[in-house]
Amino acid sequence: MSRKTGLILGGTVSLIFLGLLVIGPGTEKTQPDQIIWKKEFEKIEYIPAGKDRKVTISLVRQNSLTRDDFTVEFPGQYQSRRGGYNVKNTFTDFAKPRNMGQYKIKPEQETELGFSPECAEVLLYPSKNSKPIRMQIGKKNSAGNSFVRLDAESKKDEVVLIPAYLFDRFTKPIKDFREQRLLVYPTDSYTQELNVKVKTATGEKSYFMRQVREKNKDGIEMPRWLDSNGQEIPLNQANGLENAVRELQILEYRDTIGVANADDVWNKAAEDSAVIKIKIKGQDETTIHLRSRYAVQVGKEAAIAVQSSIEPGTDFVRATIEKDITDRMGTIFEAMERKKAEANKPKPTVPEIREKTDK
């Protein structure tokens, strides 16, 4: 074979491979549906590319009549915790994965498209103990879609193109999968009762308030906040305290590498500096304990230990959150005192006007 002929053949092979990645494996494209399937899954697992064929991420959905709860586990590395938005979105996306192209391929094309015994895989379980649907993940094309092969016998000679972001998310940090919020509000839920108790330099302070919903003349539900005596609290002041409590979220988890031992920090703090009890519509009462008498540095922020009835164990929240809550309570105290003073303020007397009579 002449050098010229070899260069021509080499260039032709390169163009064919480029075409596979850009437009697909060939002319045997079938007319795909817009989505591959409509299925609900209870568990999703991910095996990264490589010789070590171990599951590194396991996502579980626990459904009920009112809502779905999600957990995420990194087997052998991190314990199971509540799953956040990323977990919920993963189940939503794989329930109806978009089909960006569907092709018949020949065995010799498998390697060119990135398929091998060492390629990444996603396992989809219709129920937790069922046999999974196995998705082998090949290379990406220039449009941002991944070549995917399903393990069904009838699909062995087919590949589908699926948006690559569905699989790229499995390489994100652990924090992106876990639920950082201590309080989660599903649609149509709201705070029904809030009881906050804090220890300050001047003594212990506590405050209770409850929310009621009443319809206005247009039939729209409007919130009202009442204290333990049934006195109405100015809406902006009550919302300020509630929002400060809602902002409670985990700054760092107890099993994060390089962070202080959370239980040691909890014990060194010795006693609760704040206890928050909150009742959210449709949920059991949640109790949150903060201990601010001993703080540690987490990155650029000071952090204090937190425990809650949501799940066992100690984690870290930002240290300033307790002051935010205490300041909001103080604002309500001041507003209610002003309101009380206004109510007790004596009304101005109007001088009595008498008619003059002629003598």
Side-chain angles (χ1 to χ4, degrees):
M1 180 185 297
S2 68
R3 183 171 180 274
K4 182 177 180 181
T5 304
L7 290 172
I8 292 172
L9 288 175
T12 302
V13 171
S14 298
L15 287 172
I16 291 172
F17 179 64
L18 181 62
L20 288 170
L21 293 181
V22 175
I23 61 173
T27 58
E28 296 183 70
K29 178 179 179 181
T30 59
Q31 184 63 36
D33 296 325
Q34 290 185 340
I35 59 173
I36 297 171
W37 57 54
K38 289 184 179 180
K39 298 178 184 289
E40 295 291 337
F41 299 103
E42 289 189 1
K43 185 167 71 172
I44 299 175
E45 294 181 329
Y46 177 70
I47 300 174
K51 293 181 180 180
D52 190 10
R53 310 305 293 166
K54 290 183 179 179
V55 171
T56 57
I57 301 176
S58 180
L59 313 177
V60 176
R61 177 174 66 90
Q62 183 69 47
N63 59 345
S64 66
L65 292 175
T66 55
R67 65 173 187 174
D68 288 347
D69 291 317
F70 302 92
T71 57
V72 55
E73 181 181 0
F74 292 71
Q77 286 186 295
Y78 300 101
Q79 61 189 251
S80 178
R81 297 295 296 261
R82 291 182 301 149
Y85 283 125
N86 239 336
V87 176
K88 180 180 179 181
N89 291 340
T90 299
F91 279 95
T92 300
D93 290 339
F94 278 103
K96 295 187 293 184
R98 286 191 290 136
N99 190 342
M100 310 306 292
Q102 193 165 320
Y103 304 89
K104 293 283 187 181
I105 63 167
K106 298 175 182 178
E108 58 267 24
Q109 292 178 302
E110 292 180 3
T111 303
E112 295 172 351
L113 297 179
F115 297 111
S116 76
E118 296 182 9
C119 65
E121 293 182 324
V122 172
L123 311 180
L124 305 170
Y125 297 80
S127 62
K128 290 172 191 169
N129 298 316
S130 64
K131 181 181 177 181
I133 296 173
R134 189 175 294 266
M135 304 177 78
Q136 287 187 309
I137 318 305
K139 294 180 179 179
K140 293 182 190 179
N141 69 2
S142 60
N145 301 308
S146 292
F147 290 104
V148 177
R149 187 167 62 178
L150 306 178
D151 64 351
E153 288 297 323
S154 60
K155 303 281 187 180
K156 279 192 172 181
D157 61 343
E158 284 185 4
V159 294
V160 291
L161 281 169
I162 297 176
Y165 72 84
L166 268 71
F167 313 108
D168 291 343
R169 63 163 55 112
F170 292 108
T171 61
K172 292 180 179 292
I174 180 176
K175 209 169 187 178
D176 286 14
F177 289 92
R178 287 175 163 179
E179 178 59 77
Q180 288 185 258
R181 296 172 299 170
L182 290 177
L183 302 171
V184 178
Y185 285 77
T187 306
D188 296 330
S189 65
Y190 59 89
T191 300
Q192 292 179 312
E193 294 181 357
L194 179 60
N195 193 343
V196 181
K197 184 184 295 183
V198 296
K199 291 183 179 179
T200 69
T202 58
E204 187 175 278
K205 296 182 179 180
S206 62
Y207 199 73
F208 171 87
M209 61 184 193
R210 63 187 176 89
Q211 185 177 180
V212 295
R213 297 289 180 99
E214 297 177 353
K215 291 184 178 181
N216 62 14
K217 61 181 182 180
D218 298 317
I220 300 172
E221 280 194 342
M222 302 298 293
R224 293 177 61 220
W225 288 97
L226 307 176
D227 66 12
S228 56
N229 297 318
Q231 297 295 310
E232 187 159 1
I233 308 165
L235 189 60
N236 61 328
Q237 310 297 346
N239 286 344
L241 176 57
E242 187 211 18
N243 288 337
V245 172
R246 280 198 187 210
E247 288 176 8
L248 274 163
Q249 64 176 13
I250 296 171
L251 176 65
E252 204 54 84
Y253 297 91
R254 68 184 79 105
D255 54 2
T256 300
I257 297 172
V259 174
N261 184 288
D263 289 328
D264 286 349
V265 174
W266 177 265
N267 292 330
K268 285 178 181 178
E271 62 178 353
D272 295 345
S273 52
V275 178
I276 300 161
K277 294 184 178 181
I278 187 167
K279 181 73 174 65
I280 299 172
K281 182 183 178 183
Q283 300 180 27
D284 294 332
E285 183 180 75
T286 298
T287 303
I288 299 170
H289 301 263
L290 301 176
R291 291 190 173 182
S292 62
R293 280 160 175 69
Y294 186 81
V296 295
Q297 199 68 22
V298 174
K300 295 181 180 180
E301 292 201 59
I304 60 175
V306 61
Q307 289 188 359
S308 75
S309 60
I310 299 167
E311 56 184 336
T314 309
D315 293 299
F316 295 102
V317 296
R318 62 181 176 89
T320 54
I321 190 66
E322 189 174 285
K323 184 179 184 303
D324 293 345
I325 292 170
T326 304
D327 289 347
R328 295 293 185 178
M329 284 177 61
T331 302
I332 291 180
F333 289 144
E334 292 173 5
M336 296 303 286
E337 285 298 320
R338 286 195 301 269
K339 188 175 180 181
K340 184 178 178 180
E342 286 293 329
N344 294 333
K345 195 174 181 181
K347 296 180 180 179
T349 57
V350 179
E352 184 179 355
I353 301 175
R354 296 182 178 180
E355 293 183 4
K356 289 184 179 181
T357 57
D358 294 332
K359 289 184 179 180

